[in-house]
Amino acid sequence: MTDHDLDPDHDSAYAGLLVDDAHWAFGEAAHDDPLEGMDLTVPDGVDAGLLAAYCLMLGDDALVLSHRLSEWCSHAPDLEEDIALANIALDLIGQARLLLNRAAAADPGVVPALPEGSPVPAEDALAFFREDAEFRNVRMAEVPNGDFAETMTRVLLMSTWRLALLERLTGSRDPVLAAVAAKGLKEVAYHRDFAARWFVTLARGTDESRRRLLVALEGLWPLWPELLATHPVERELAAAGVGVDPFDLTAEVDRVLDEVLTAADVERPDLPPLAGVRGRTGRDGLHTEALSRLLAEMQVVARAHPRGRW
Amino acid sequence: MVRTLDIARAQEVAATVVDPELPMLTLADLGVLRAVETADDGGLLVTITPTYSGCPATAAMRDDLVRRLRAEGYDDVRVRIALYPAWTTDWITERGRAALTAAGISAPGPARPAGPTPLTLRPVRRDIACPQCHDTDVEPTSEFGPTACTALYRCRACGEPFEHVKEI
C-alpha cells in the first residue's frame, strides 16, 4: 500500500467500496476452505489413497471442462449464452474445489510439494502444480473447443453422464461425497437441460446449424465410451459403497440421450472408440496433447509465483 | 469454567448480516444461516450452507459474520460450512421473498421435489409476475443470469427485463 492509497482527501471511485477493508475482493482475506468444519474422516474399510484418486477423477472432469467453458468468455454467440457458459463453468469450479479438497483431506500424499513457506492451499496445489499425467479427467473434457455446436454437444454428453453419476453418488458411504453429489446434481440438472435444448435447436435449425451439430457429435462420439468404461479405482470404490461404477449408468444415460436424439431427429453415430495407449486413457493419466496446452495456460501464473498471495 | 455466551444475542446479530450479492436479503432470510450455537470449546460456532457449489459469495458471508460478531464482543467465532442438506430456494423466508420483489427481483416458486431429475427440453414454465408492473405476460431470456442463483426474464407488458431467483 502506498501513501497515495492512504490519502483521505483523494477522490477515488473505490472509496465507497473500501468502507470495509477486510472485504473479500479487497485485501488479503484468509483462504476459504469450502469443507471448513466438516468431518473428513475416511469411512471404515475404505482405502484413503483410492478415495483420493476417485475424487481427483470427478474433480478433474469438472476442473478441465470448466476451463474449456471459461475460454468462451466474451466469445459466445450472444450475451445470454456467454453468461450461461460462465455460470456452468462456475458451478463446475465449485464442484472441483470440493472434490480436490476431499482428495487432499483423504490422502495428503496426492498434493504436490511446494517450496517451504508457500501459502498455496492444497486445492490450488492440486489444480496448478500437477503435471498432465497426474490429471485423471476423461479426455472428452480436455479436447480443444470447436464451435458453439461442439461445446453444446460436449456439455450435453458430459452433464448427462455427470447427473446420472451424482444421483447415485448421493447414496455414498462417504458423507462428504454424498453431500457434494446432492448439491452438485441440482446444478448439473440446469446444465443438461440447457445443452439439450440447444442440441435440439441446432439440429432442427438451419441446414448449416444441423451440419455443424452432426460434425460435432461425430467428433466427440469416439470419446464417449471412455466415460462408461470402469476403471479399477471406480470398481473398488463402487464395491465399497463409496463410489459409482460408471458402467452401471449405461441404461440411464442411453435413455436420456435417446430422448434428446429423437427430439433432434439425429441418429446415434456408429463410430469406434478413440483408442488409449495400451489400454490406458484419461483416468490413467494418459491424455491428448490438448491437456498439456490447457494446463500451460491455466497454471502459468500460479507456477511463476509459488509463494504468491492473491 | 467457560464463560457462558449470550447465544440469543449472537443469533440476533448473525441474523442481520446481509447477502453480499443480494444485499436486500439477510443470510437468515436467504436460508443459508443454519445455526448459531456454543461450540464444545466454549466459542461461538456459526453454521452456513452455500447456495451453489461455486458461489463466490460464501467466503464473503463467512468473513462478514465473523467481523460483525467480533464487533459485538464475540471474540472466538468459527464458521462451519454444512453442505448437507443442500440449500434449496424453499428456505427463503416470506420476508425474504417480499424483499426480493421490492428490489425488482422475482422470487422463486416451489423447488422440484426430490427424485430422479427429469429432462426438460421445453423452456421451464413458471407462474411468475413482473416485479415492476405485476403483469404475468413474461418470457425467459436465459436460465442463467448475472449470479449463479438467477435466471433472466423480460416482461412483455412493460418491456422491462428482470431477474428471477431460480428454483433449486
Side-chain angles (χ1 to χ4, degrees):
Chain A
M1 186 168 276
T2 65
D3 289 340
H4 172 81
D5 291 321
L6 294 170
D7 180 0
D9 297 320
H10 184 67
D11 185 20
S12 163
Y14 300 106
L17 297 173
L18 286 169
V19 287
D20 179 1
D21 63 4
H23 210 261
W24 61 296
F26 310 100
E28 223 174 280
H31 171 64
D32 66 303
D33 175 357
L35 299 178
E36 180 79 48
M38 290 184 66
D39 181 359
L40 299 173
T41 312
V42 175
D44 281 347
V46 177
D47 183 280
L50 286 180
L51 176 59
Y54 185 64
C55 292
L56 290 180
M57 291 176 176
L58 301 184
D60 288 344
D61 285 349
L63 176 63
V64 172
L65 180 60
S66 174
H67 188 85
R68 282 293 181 223
L69 296 180
S70 76
E71 291 175 353
W72 275 100
C73 204
S74 82
H75 296 290
D78 60 33
L79 187 57
E80 281 77 11
E81 270 44 68
D82 209 89
I83 292 170
L85 291 170
N87 266 279
I88 295 170
L90 180 64
D91 287 342
L92 291 173
I93 275 285
Q95 294 177 22
R97 290 189 60 200
L98 296 168
L99 288 159
L100 296 188
N101 274 293
R102 181 56 182 135
D107 180 7
V110 298
V111 182
L114 288 175
E116 186 76 21
S118 168
V120 173
E123 58 177 289
D124 285 1
L126 283 167
F128 297 123
F129 291 88
R130 272 183 302 159
E131 303 292 337
D132 50 3
E134 296 168 290
F135 275 72
R136 291 291 177 264
N137 56 283
V138 292
R139 291 172 297 173
M140 189 185 287
E142 75 205 26
V143 290
N145 283 342
D147 57 15
F148 186 69
E150 190 274 340
T151 290
M152 287 303 97
T153 306
R154 185 177 348 190
V155 174
L156 170 66
L157 294 173
M158 291 200 66
S159 61
T160 296
W161 179 86
R162 196 169 180 85
L163 183 52
L165 180 126
L166 294 178
E167 283 186 333
R168 288 184 177 230
L169 198 59
T170 56
S172 173
R173 270 208 308 126
D174 178 25
V176 183
L177 269 184
V180 170
K183 186 141 204 68
L185 76 86
K186 296 181 178 205
E187 297 157 3
V188 179
Y190 275 100
H191 308 170
R192 188 183 70 176
D193 279 351
F194 172 75
R197 284 175 203 155
W198 266 116
F199 189 93
V200 173
T201 299
L202 294 170
R204 301 178 77 99
T206 64
D207 289 347
E208 176 65 4
S209 71
R210 184 174 177 85
R211 184 190 68 76
R212 285 179 178 236
L213 187 84
L214 296 177
V215 168
L217 184 62
E218 291 192 356
L220 288 167
W221 197 254
L223 291 162
W224 172 245
E226 187 180 339
L227 279 75
L228 298 169
T230 310
H231 187 274
V233 167
E234 293 167 317
R235 182 178 296 117
E236 289 216 29
L237 281 175
V242 169
V244 174
D245 182 340
F247 182 76
D248 294 342
L249 305 174
T250 308
E252 165 67 4
V253 297
D254 276 350
R255 185 188 64 73
V256 173
L257 287 185
D258 283 346
E259 192 178 335
V260 179
L261 291 171
T262 302
D265 192 21
V266 168
E267 295 278 322
R268 184 181 279 254
D270 182 18
L271 293 167
L274 182 68
V277 176
R278 295 196 190 93
R280 296 171 72 227
T281 60
R283 294 284 189 238
D284 306 294
L286 211 297
H287 295 280
T288 65
E289 179 190 338
L291 181 67
S292 315
R293 294 176 183 278
L294 179 152
L295 294 180
E297 180 172 327
M298 189 178 89
Q299 298 180 334
V300 61
V301 175
R303 283 182 181 254
H305 304 280
R307 295 172 201 271
R309 291 184 184 276
W310 310 98
Chain B
M1 182 69 191
V2 175
R3 184 172 62 88
T4 306
L5 290 171
D6 184 348
I7 290 296
R9 172 76 187 134
Q11 286 169 344
E12 277 176 29
V13 172
T16 62
V17 176
V18 298
D19 179 85
E21 285 181 351
L22 301 169
M24 73 294 294
L25 271 187
T26 64
L27 299 185
D29 284 335
L30 184 59
V32 302
L33 181 64
R34 305 309 298 161
V36 180
E37 59 202 337
T38 310
D40 292 342
D41 62 5
L44 187 68
L45 181 62
V46 181
T47 305
I48 59 172
T49 190
T51 53
Y52 282 69
S53 299
C55 182
T58 310
M61 291 175 184
R62 189 194 60 177
D63 292 352
D64 289 348
L65 280 163
V66 169
R67 203 175 45 263
R68 283 290 301 282
L69 286 160
R70 282 199 183 134
E72 293 289 331
Y74 297 90
D75 297 328
D76 181 13
V77 182
R78 269 187 303 135
V79 177
R80 176 174 66 179
I81 309 286
L83 291 179
Y84 190 86
W87 180 77
T88 161
T89 39
D90 290 349
W91 291 349
I92 301 178
T93 63
E94 283 307 316
R95 191 172 61 176
R97 287 162 196 272
L100 282 170
T101 309
I105 300 173
S106 162
R112 195 180 59 75
T117 313
L119 177 71
T120 314
L121 287 174
R122 294 190 167 278
V124 182
R125 284 188 172 276
R126 296 184 175 96
D127 184 18
I128 59 177
C130 170
Q132 305 292 342
C133 74
H134 310 295
D135 201 288
T136 55
D137 186 14
V138 299
E139 60 177 348
T141 50
S142 177
E143 281 298 305
F144 296 91
T147 72
C149 56
T150 58
L152 293 174
Y153 271 74
R154 179 166 48 215
C155 174
R156 289 201 190 93
C158 72
E160 283 291 317
F162 64 92
E163 289 173 60
H164 171 75
V165 177
K166 60 190 178 196
E167 298 73 18
I168 187 172

